[in-house]
């Protein structure tokens, strides 16, 4: 019996505003590919401007998946993303096409590329709520230190700003008495896929300028009106609007900050997020990096050569 060939998978990763959407579409056109969004926020319907969601015209006829699949009041997890994306990867491969995950939510992407085995430990919603309150009081850095003695491995792997993941690690320890790193949540070292990770980077000043311009464009395109519609519809105190792009504008809607301060805060938080994304990807995944500051068309050709070469190796 012949062994089934290893499934192909390409990822296009990097910080916000670096050009992942356009690059992934160029790759998909050249490789007969289809795109799976790896963004934890583009799954929500009606949250288009603040998530920089790809438009129908921008897709250029390339199928895109895991966009607009949830209502803003619904929760979504890395485990659910993993299940949906894994099924899509299998289906796309079976049809002789190349699946491309494009996005910047590192944990979501790695949960798929390395088939993260999520803990089946029972949950304790009451204890989790208590942890959420403590995290709010202490701030992410101090709260993160709670992991240091009970689960040093997770302490070094989980970024302090990934508060939800820190909470989950503490919850697993509380419920099971075992650290998260010793549970089924441990990550395998190797991917089961014929995997090519492409990372896009850019000169920091150029990237920050792109982020600032993107925020200005979002405001011109109606981000405030989009957030007002969500707010008026009761989309408050839920996972979706804790995202950068909405929490700052909600503060404006609630008259807690001025328009100018809200926009500046959004720009600052977006720049900080880009920096965190780059740090995460560089420490967590083996990636072929490409600097997209200049000569973008030339870089796309080089990326295509790398991807085609690596996919042909297996």
């Amino acid at each position: 019996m012949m062994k089934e060939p290893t499934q192909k998978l390409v990822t296009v990763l990097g910080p916000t505003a670096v050009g992942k959407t356009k690059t992934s579409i160029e790759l998909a056109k050249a490789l007969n590919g289809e795109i799976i969004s790896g963004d934890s926020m583009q799954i929500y319907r009606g949250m288009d401007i603040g998530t920089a969601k790809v438009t129908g015209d921008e897709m250029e006829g390339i199928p895109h998946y895991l966009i607009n699949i949830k209502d803003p009041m619904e929760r979504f997890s890395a485990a659910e993303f993993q299940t949906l994306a894994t099924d899509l990867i299998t289906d796309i491969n079976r049809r002789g096409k190349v699946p491309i995950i494009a996005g910047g939510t590192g944990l979501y992407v790695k949960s798929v590329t390395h088939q993260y085995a999520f803990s089946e430990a029972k949950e304790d919603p009451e204890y989790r709520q208590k942890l959420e309150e403590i995290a709010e009081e202490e701030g992410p850095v101090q709260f993160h230190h709670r992991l240091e003695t009970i689960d040093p491995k997770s302490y070094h792997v989980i970024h302090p700003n990934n508060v939800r993941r820190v909470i989950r690690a503490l919850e697993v320890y509380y419920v099971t008495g075992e650290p998260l790193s010793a549970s089924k949540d441990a990550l395998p070292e190797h991917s089961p896929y014929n995997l090519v990770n492409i990372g896009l980077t850019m000169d920091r000043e150029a990237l920050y300028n792109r982020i600032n311009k993107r925020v200005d464009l979002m405001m011109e395109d109606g981000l405030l009106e989009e957030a007002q519609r969500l707010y008026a519809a009761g989309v408050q105190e839920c996972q979706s609007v804790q995202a950068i792009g909405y929490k700052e504008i909600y503060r404006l809607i609630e008259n807690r900050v001025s328009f100018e301060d809200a926009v500046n805060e959004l720009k600052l938080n977006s720049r900080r997020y880009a920096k965190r994304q780059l740090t995460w990807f560089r420490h967590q995944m083996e990636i072929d990096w490409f600097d997209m500051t200049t000569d973008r068309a030339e870089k796309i050709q080089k990326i295509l050569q790398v991807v085609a070469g690596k996919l042909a190796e297996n």
Side-chain angles (χ1 to χ4, degrees):
M1 188 174 176
M2 285 185 65
K3 184 184 174 185
E4 200 169 313
T6 305
Q7 292 183 28
K8 297 175 180 177
L9 178 60
V10 177
T11 68
V12 178
L13 312 168
T16 186
V18 78
K20 297 183 295 293
T21 298
K22 285 184 179 179
T23 302
S24 63
I25 290 168
E26 297 272 6
L27 289 182
K29 288 193 291 185
L31 297 169
N32 190 24
E34 298 187 353
I35 296 170
I36 300 167
S37 170
D39 187 294
S40 62
M41 295 306 302
Q42 294 193 3
I43 58 157
Y44 290 114
R45 289 183 279 267
M47 299 179 72
D48 304 330
I49 299 169
T51 64
K53 194 177 291 176
V54 61
T55 65
D57 288 342
E58 288 169 344
M59 290 179 187
E60 297 188 44
I62 301 295
H64 281 64
Y65 303 97
L66 302 192
I67 294 174
N68 296 330
I69 63 167
K70 291 277 185 180
D71 287 325
M73 293 294 285
E74 293 182 88
R75 291 190 67 81
F76 191 65
S77 68
E80 188 175 353
F81 173 81
Q82 182 196 63
T83 299
L84 295 171
T86 300
D87 288 346
L88 283 165
I89 290 165
T90 299
D91 177 60
I92 294 167
N93 269 281
R94 279 181 183 157
R95 290 187 281 107
K97 295 178 179 286
V98 177
I100 300 168
I101 297 180
T105 307
L107 176 63
Y108 278 41
V109 176
K110 193 169 182 180
S111 77
V112 174
T113 60
H114 285 66
Q115 284 301 294
Y116 196 101
F118 287 95
S119 174
E120 295 173 2
K122 290 181 180 178
E123 298 181 351
D124 189 323
E126 198 173 307
Y127 183 65
R128 189 190 314 138
Q129 185 177 351
K130 182 181 174 184
L131 289 174
E132 287 170 355
E133 292 168 2
I134 293 170
E136 187 71 30
E137 290 170 14
E138 293 184 347
V141 175
Q142 188 178 338
F143 182 68
H144 179 250
H145 279 295
R146 289 174 171 266
L147 275 180
E148 193 169 9
T149 52
I150 65 165
D151 190 352
K153 190 173 180 182
S154 292
Y155 172 76
H156 290 293
V157 169
I158 301 172
H159 194 283
N161 289 317
N162 193 346
V163 176
R164 192 177 301 144
R165 191 74 186 140
V166 175
I167 287 172
R168 181 59 183 150
L170 292 168
E171 183 186 16
V172 167
Y173 183 80
Y174 178 79
V175 173
T176 68
E178 291 186 356
L180 182 71
S181 54
S183 74
K184 290 183 179 180
D185 279 24
L187 276 172
E189 290 182 27
H190 303 290
S191 174
Y193 296 109
N194 178 3
L195 174 67
V196 187
N197 292 319
I198 297 298
L200 309 183
T201 186
M202 188 174 280
D203 170 78
R204 181 173 291 188
E205 187 177 346
L207 179 64
Y208 285 3
N209 284 336
R210 281 173 66 96
I211 289 170
N212 291 340
K213 285 178 184 174
R214 173 184 270 190
V215 170
D216 288 335
L217 278 172
M218 283 178 172
M219 298 308 294
E220 287 175 22
D221 289 345
L223 176 58
L224 175 56
E225 290 77 12
E226 181 175 85
Q228 284 172 328
R229 282 196 299 274
L230 292 164
Y231 193 91
V235 183
Q236 302 168 32
E237 304 297 326
C238 55
Q239 179 182 338
S240 61
V241 290
Q242 301 308 309
I244 295 169
Y246 294 94
K247 61 182 180 181
E248 296 86 358
I249 303 304
Y250 269 32
R251 279 161 53 79
L252 170 61
I253 292 168
E254 292 167 349
N255 294 315
R256 292 158 64 191
V257 293
S258 67
F259 182 91
E260 185 180 0
D261 285 346
V263 171
N264 287 336
E265 189 178 337
L266 177 47
K267 289 177 179 178
L268 177 61
N269 288 342
S270 298
R271 295 194 301 268
R272 285 174 172 167
Y273 178 55
K275 187 178 178 183
R276 292 199 303 273
Q277 285 175 301
L278 274 169
T279 301
W280 196 95
F281 284 125
R282 283 179 173 146
H283 285 88
Q284 291 286 328
M285 301 180 76
E286 288 186 16
I287 295 173
D288 287 293
W289 288 99
F290 293 85
D291 189 320
M292 308 300 282
T293 309
T294 57
D295 305 317
R296 187 178 175 276
E298 187 182 312
K299 299 290 171 54
I300 293 286
Q301 291 308 309
K302 287 183 178 176
I303 291 170
L304 275 170
Q305 288 172 9
V306 168
V307 173
K310 290 198 169 188
L311 288 180
E313 286 175 7
N314 295 303

